[in-house]
Amino acid sequence: MSLGAWFELIASGLITGAVYALVGLGLNLQYGLMRILNIAHGEFLMVGAFLTWMAHSALGLSPLLMVPISFAVLMAVGVVVHRLTFRRLARTSPSVDIFEARGLMVAFGLMFLVQNFAQSVWGADLRGYDYMTDPVRLGGEGGAQFAGNKLLLLGLSLLFSVGLIVLLKQTLLGKGVRALMQSPTGAQLVGIDTERLHPLMFGVGLGLSGVAGCLLSMAYTITPSMGEPYTVTALIVITLGGFGSMGGALAGGLALGVIEAVGMHFTNPSLKSLLSYAVFIGVLLWKPNGLFNKKT
């Protein structure tokens, strides 16, 4: 392979991996902070994708305008969902282990509820629209060529991912979140208000999934069943990076995207899931705490 072909292959993997990282960060925030393994996470990504498709197709709104709108709508939904379900579970569960088990069952219910709601509203057909599909050449003559919407997807996914990490590292709110991740009891003893912080951060996690869905709708067809594979991928990403590690989730998502791209190029594209699970199992056996076990 030529150097240009390698560049195009790795760049394609980074585009996919950036979305993986964005989805994984949202799920990692929920689990690392609140021990909520939200199996329905990908279904809210699907809702963000359909909201963007509907706004663009029916109202003529730009998908770029829908990025902050999707984040705000899904964040509000997340706050409401947390207050109606997970907060009550937290109050009635005698231990963290029981809360995790009950929360997992509630998340399964949410997954089927949201998926069936989407099918009843938008149907089961594939949907899509054309947006920034003109090719953009990188590297001059003989360089790699990508559709503009995919480069936009890469840039905005990285922007939101890095923005969340900077927020957690540099702001007072972020320090409170990291303190709760490291020691929930100690954080409460110094006055951190979990009653406000938990639903807010759960909402931010769903907001990031809404942004990912919005970005995906610009470049790919969407369907009500698209969310579940992204939930599984997010679980792989946060396991690779380490539960609670935001930087690990970003690195894990990008690495998984590149591994999939290279692996599919030299093997069979139908083996994409097999490659992901092989990496997942290998890391669990080699380094069970993930590649980055420090909570960052």
Side-chain angles (χ1 to χ4, degrees):
M1 286 179 61
S2 66
L3 185 61
W6 273 108
F7 173 74
E8 185 170 357
L9 185 62
I10 293 174
S12 297
L14 290 175
I15 291 171
T16 304
V19 179
Y20 289 170
L22 185 61
V23 182
L25 280 167
L27 184 60
N28 210 6
L29 184 62
Q30 295 168 351
Y31 185 78
L33 179 62
M34 294 161 276
R35 291 299 182 267
I36 297 174
L37 194 55
N38 183 18
I39 299 300
H41 194 68
E43 308 312 313
F44 292 97
L45 173 150
M46 174 266 295
V47 171
F50 270 97
L51 288 177
T52 305
W53 165 78
M54 187 172 63
H56 180 71
S57 301
L59 303 177
L61 294 180
S62 169
L64 280 179
L65 178 62
M66 285 301 297
V67 171
I69 294 176
S70 295
F71 178 81
V73 170
L74 269 297
M75 179 178 173
V77 169
V79 171
V80 172
V81 167
H82 185 276
R83 289 187 180 276
L84 292 179
T85 56
F86 296 108
R87 184 168 68 171
R88 181 180 295 273
L89 284 181
R91 289 176 175 174
T92 58
S93 299
S95 68
V96 174
D97 291 338
I98 293 176
F99 170 71
E100 283 191 44
R102 291 176 176 176
L104 186 60
M105 295 301 102
V106 169
F108 267 113
L110 282 172
M111 180 180 71
F112 293 116
L113 178 66
V114 174
Q115 192 174 109
N116 282 278
F117 170 79
Q119 287 181 350
S120 66
V121 173
W122 294 300
D125 297 333
L126 292 173
R127 309 287 186 178
Y129 57 89
D130 290 331
Y131 182 73
M132 292 183 64
T133 56
D134 293 336
V136 176
R137 183 174 296 279
L138 301 177
E141 191 68 27
Q145 186 171 278
F146 300 95
N149 51 22
K150 291 189 176 181
L151 294 177
L152 182 64
L153 187 154
L154 171 64
L156 290 179
S157 294
L158 290 177
L159 178 64
F160 273 88
S161 298
V162 173
L164 175 65
I165 294 173
V166 171
L167 174 72
L168 294 179
K169 280 184 171 291
Q170 303 296 330
T171 67
L172 185 61
L173 173 65
K175 291 178 181 178
V177 172
R178 289 190 290 124
L180 274 173
M181 286 182 173
Q182 294 170 6
S183 176
T185 302
Q188 292 178 35
L189 288 175
V190 297
I192 295 177
D193 189 355
T194 58
E195 289 291 319
R196 292 185 178 182
L197 199 57
H198 281 178
L200 177 63
M201 290 298 107
F202 187 87
V204 169
L206 282 199
L208 292 177
S209 73
V211 170
C214 175
L215 297 176
L216 284 169
S217 74
M218 299 179 187
Y220 303 98
T221 54
I222 61 175
T223 172
S225 61
M226 67 181 288
E228 187 176 344
Y230 281 99
T231 299
V232 175
T233 300
L235 288 171
I236 296 174
V237 166
I238 64 177
T239 303
L240 294 179
F243 288 101
S245 172
M246 298 295 113
L250 176 57
L254 294 174
L256 183 62
V258 172
I259 290 170
E260 285 184 354
V262 174
M264 287 189 297
H265 178 80
F266 289 104
T267 57
N268 191 320
S270 64
L271 299 179
K272 176 182 177 181
S273 296
L274 179 61
L275 289 169
S276 300
Y277 291 128
V279 172
F280 175 56
I281 293 171
V283 171
L284 281 178
L285 294 175
W286 171 56
K287 199 169 184 181
N289 293 328
L291 301 177
F292 301 87
N293 57 18
K294 181 181 178 182
K295 292 177 170 55
T296 56

